[in-house]
């Protein structure tokens, strides 16, 4: 006997700049981020506050989202500014989240690469990323961060 199983093709993930239409989805991801990270105690889990922050980042910086089948599965947000100590134009990631269903794929790396490209075009000479976990440190080192 022979059997065949036809698998659905893997869903394509699109990385794109967020728009105001994405704010509700970004706020929902931000709330999940806050609830599961070490930053949870420092950031208000208040949808109105998170909406204002998202609107500011869309205006003053950038928000990239990862979208799969019409659903947001990740985001990275950040700004470029003259570093207060060195005065170098520095890109700083302010939030980065990948939904558990999209982890173990290229989503996190693709979001970061989009952010790095934007940062370079915005005049940044370096990118700073916060880390709060040894596993993240290893991921960053594999991508060339020190």
């Amino acid at each position: 006997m022979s059997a065949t199983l036809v698998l659905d093709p893997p869903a394509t993930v699109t990385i794109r700049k967020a728009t105001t239409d994405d704010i509700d989805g970004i706020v929902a991801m931000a709330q999940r981020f806050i609830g599961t990270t070490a930053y949870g105690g420092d950031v208000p889990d208040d949808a109105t506050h998170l909406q204002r922050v998202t609107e500011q980042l869309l205006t003053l910086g950038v928000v990239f989202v990862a979208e799969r089948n019409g659903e947001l599965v990740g985001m990275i947000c950040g700004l470029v500014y003259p570093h207060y100590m060195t005065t170098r134009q520095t890109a700083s990631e302010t939030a980065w989240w990948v939904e558990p269903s999209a982890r173990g794929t290229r989503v996190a790396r693709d979001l970061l690469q989009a952010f790095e490209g934007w940062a370079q075009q915005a005049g940044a000479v370096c990118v700073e990323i916060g880390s709060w976990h040894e596993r993240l440190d290893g991921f960053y080192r594999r991508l060339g961060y020190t």
Side-chain angles (χ1 to χ4, degrees):
M1 178 172 123
S2 168
T4 304
L5 174 65
V6 178
L7 300 173
D8 291 331
T12 301
V13 175
T14 301
I15 307 297
R16 61 176 175 78
K17 278 188 178 179
T19 69
T20 55
D21 292 339
D22 298 312
I23 290 176
D24 289 343
I26 293 166
V27 167
M29 285 191 290
Q31 289 178 304
R32 287 190 287 281
F33 167 80
I34 290 167
T36 60
T37 69
Y39 300 117
D42 297 325
V43 180
D45 185 3
D46 171 341
T48 302
H49 168 73
L50 294 171
Q51 180 178 343
R52 278 195 305 269
V53 169
T54 302
E55 290 168 352
Q56 289 174 335
L57 286 167
L58 287 172
T59 302
L60 302 173
V62 72
V63 179
F64 284 98
V65 292
E67 185 176 31
R68 179 178 62 200
N69 296 333
E71 177 185 357
L72 297 183
V73 295
M75 67 174 177
I76 191 167
C77 315
L79 303 160
V80 171
Y81 68 99
H83 193 277
Y84 60 95
M85 292 292 288
T86 66
T87 71
R88 292 186 303 190
Q89 286 296 101
T90 302
S92 179
E93 163 264 331
T94 58
W96 187 10
W97 172 258
V98 175
E99 294 289 352
S101 66
R103 293 180 188 165
T105 66
R106 290 190 47 92
V107 170
R109 179 175 288 171
D110 291 349
L111 282 166
L112 180 58
Q113 287 176 338
F115 179 70
E116 290 168 341
W118 171 85
Q120 189 172 28
Q121 288 181 343
V125 296
C126 65
V127 175
E128 291 184 340
I129 300 174
S131 180
W132 50 271
H133 193 279
E134 286 183 32
R135 187 172 171 209
L136 283 175
D137 292 345
F139 176 71
Y140 297 148
R141 278 192 296 276
R142 286 190 300 278
L143 296 176
Y145 284 79
T146 57

